[in-house]
Amino acid sequence: MKVFVALDTMESQNLGCQLVSHQLRNFINNSSQITSSYYSSTFAEGGLNRYLHKHDVEELIESDIVYVNGEGSCSALEMPRRIRHIFKLAWEYHKPVYFCNFTFDPRWQFKKIVSKEDVDFWLDNLSKCKVVTVRDPISYQYLKRHELKNLFLYPDLGTSYQPPIERSPKNIVMLGGGSIIKKIIPAKEIYIQKFQEIIDHYSPRYEFVVPDWPSNPESDGEFLKDLTNVKHVSPTYSEYYNLCSQSVLNITGRHHGAVMSFAAGCPFLVYQSNMWKMEGDNLFYGTNPLLDIFRIDTEFDKWIAVIDSVLDNLDQVHDEVKKRQKNILPFAEGHIRVLTKETSNMNMDISFIDFNTIDSYIDANTQTISKTTILNKWSASL
């Protein structure tokens, strides 16, 4: 069986992209059922806004299965040209498509507005896939409410990275950045100031480590370089995981920061990102309240109270993490095992997830209207 892997992210410097790409390769290379594979990069010339190159098209046609590594490429913005092209070729040449390991956030970024036409187009194509697997329970519930039948929820493929490292926590707290604080910045100084106040509040009881995370327009480490009384590090994804295994808490705005924390057994606190993946992570892997990055200035006392609730109850929090690990980690390779196993054997027990809360979140944070109405509102605001 030959597998065409679309939207491969091995070339990215992003730690999460590297983590997932390595885990994909580890499984495919060790599978007796997969005889060959071809990886089509997300970052080929033009990125997601360009069609597949001629050689990619030839490889797709010769493959038995098309596996799409969805990750964070799926939103209500118009479907990227490359994904449209993949679907078009797959349907034309009768290739089964596995669209996997992704967050589906239908909102226009940073707004509650959902374009009906764009969502319908996504749903039409996803319904034709042999298997669709998402990595967070909010995406799962949203698509389930739209009656997508071939749908499964599994932990992010990054959770399958579980090296034989014994957890040995020291008095280390990780404090990291995220994409959202660099895209919506009322004032950079507010975030730096409040992060510094967190560090000063808990020092010298805890050693703070600020891990870099390559991204655009600048890395997290560059954004947070002015923080003092901390240790700044530039880890690989494996070193980041090791750091999680040595830490008592990770405060992060990175999806794969939460993923690696969970896999390593490290309690984490997350704040919002550019999609609802962090809220989803919190409902899936976490048992602690979500931190609100937009109110870090006006509700700073709440941040301290939440951090205290973890640090003052580490044994209890760690026990909760272990319970979640027991439920979730056996399915860590779910997004890729669907290629070689009957999906009936891959049903994860998700009864521990509070879907009533998720339904309320979706209702409060999505407003579906026509694309014409959206564009008219946008034009009127110019």
Side-chain angles (χ1 to χ4, degrees):
M1 177 173 69
K2 179 176 179 178
V3 178
F4 179 92
V5 180
L7 309 188
D8 179 49
T9 56
M10 181 63 87
E11 295 177 23
S12 173
Q13 293 184 328
N14 183 290
L15 302 186
C17 292
Q18 291 181 3
L19 170 69
V20 169
S21 293
H22 276 94
Q23 294 310 104
L24 269 173
R25 282 164 172 75
N26 285 343
F27 181 87
I28 288 173
N29 292 342
N30 291 316
S31 172
S32 60
Q33 298 180 47
I34 300 174
T35 55
S36 63
S37 56
Y38 176 84
Y39 296 86
S40 173
S41 175
T42 299
F43 304 99
E45 183 182 354
L48 286 172
N49 290 320
R50 288 286 297 272
Y51 297 117
L52 291 176
H53 291 227
K54 181 180 178 181
H55 183 63
D56 288 341
V57 172
E58 293 169 350
E59 291 287 345
L60 185 152
I61 293 171
E62 293 175 1
S63 298
D64 300 299
I65 285 175
V66 175
Y67 182 92
V68 184
N69 172 37
E71 292 209 63
S73 59
C74 310
S75 71
L77 294 175
E78 196 169 302
M79 184 185 289
R81 289 177 182 173
R82 183 157 296 179
I83 298 179
R84 285 173 179 258
H85 197 197
I86 292 165
F87 278 140
K88 181 178 182 296
L89 289 168
W91 310 148
E92 182 179 349
Y93 289 95
H94 308 290
K95 305 294 181 181
V97 175
Y98 292 72
F99 205 102
C100 299
N101 196 48
F102 70 102
T103 293
F104 186 81
D105 185 343
R107 302 170 300 175
W108 283 38
Q109 199 171 72
F110 310 125
K111 298 182 184 297
K112 297 181 180 181
I113 296 172
V114 176
S115 163
K116 183 180 186 305
E117 292 86 346
D118 287 328
V119 168
D120 286 347
F121 190 78
W122 271 106
L123 291 170
D124 179 60
N125 280 278
L126 291 175
S127 68
K128 297 174 185 175
C129 295
K130 184 175 179 64
V131 174
V132 175
T133 68
V134 292
R135 63 185 186 177
D136 74 273
I138 303 178
S139 298
Y140 175 81
Q141 188 69 351
Y142 184 86
L143 292 172
K144 187 178 178 183
R145 283 167 59 162
H146 284 78
E147 300 184 351
L148 193 66
K149 305 297 185 186
N150 49 347
L151 178 67
F152 297 86
L153 170 63
Y154 297 122
D156 188 283
L157 187 57
T159 60
S160 65
Y161 180 72
Q162 298 168 31
I165 297 173
E166 184 176 348
R167 178 161 167 74
S168 54
K170 304 175 177 60
N171 281 345
I172 296 174
V173 174
M174 299 166 66
L175 179 61
S179 61
I180 203 166
I181 59 176
K182 290 177 284 185
K183 290 183 178 178
I184 299 181
I185 307 177
K188 173 180 177 177
E189 292 74 19
I190 291 176
Y191 297 112
I192 303 300
Q193 175 191 336
K194 293 302 175 181
F195 277 21
Q196 188 66 60
E197 288 181 24
I198 291 171
I199 294 163
D200 294 342
H201 181 84
Y202 291 100
S203 297
R205 212 163 37 121
Y206 295 97
E207 175 189 0
F208 275 78
V209 176
V210 176
D212 194 12
W213 194 286
S215 62
N216 292 314
E218 60 184 327
S219 74
D220 292 359
E222 178 66 21
F223 186 84
L224 299 174
K225 66 181 180 180
D226 293 330
L227 292 177
T228 60
N229 200 22
V230 301
K231 182 179 180 181
H232 291 271
V233 297
S234 299
T236 63
Y237 74 84
S238 59
E239 291 168 342
Y240 189 101
Y241 179 97
N242 295 348
L243 183 57
C244 290
S245 71
Q246 298 170 15
S247 300
V248 296
L249 176 63
N250 184 10
I251 304 170
T252 180
R254 290 290 173 186
H255 163 69
H256 283 106
V259 164
M260 283 190 273
S261 292
F262 176 74
C266 175
F268 64 82
L269 292 169
V270 295
Y271 54 86
Q272 301 95 325
S273 184
N274 58 346
M275 302 176 82
W276 59 28
K277 54 192 175 185
M278 306 309 290
E279 290 89 335
D281 288 344
N282 212 45
L283 291 160
F284 201 9
Y285 313 115
T287 58
N288 304 306
L290 181 80
L291 297 171
D292 191 342
I293 192 65
F294 297 109
R295 293 182 172 85
I296 191 172
D297 187 22
T298 58
E299 298 183 0
F300 185 70
D301 288 347
K302 288 186 178 180
W303 275 62
I304 296 299
V306 170
I307 296 171
D308 281 345
S309 71
V310 176
L311 294 178
D312 292 344
N313 300 281
L314 282 173
D315 289 341
Q316 179 183 343
V317 172
H318 190 243
D319 286 344
E320 290 297 326
V321 172
K322 288 193 288 187
K323 288 179 184 177
R324 290 286 174 106
Q325 285 182 315
K326 187 177 180 180
N327 284 331
I328 292 173
L329 290 184
F331 295 88
E333 290 183 332
H335 295 284
I336 188 69
R337 284 196 178 276
V338 292
L339 283 174
T340 57
K341 279 192 173 186
E342 289 296 323
T343 52
S344 60
N345 298 323
M346 295 297 297
N347 288 321
M348 184 175 71
D349 180 7
I350 55 176
S351 59
F352 67 93
I353 299 172
D354 184 356
F355 283 103
N356 289 329
T357 295
I358 291 174
D359 280 329
S360 298
Y361 177 87
I362 292 172
D363 291 340
N365 287 278
T366 59
Q367 179 190 4
T368 303
I369 57 179
S370 73
K371 193 169 186 177
T372 301
T373 303
I374 294 172
L375 293 175
N376 288 341
K377 285 185 175 182
W378 178 76
S379 298
S381 68
L382 294 179

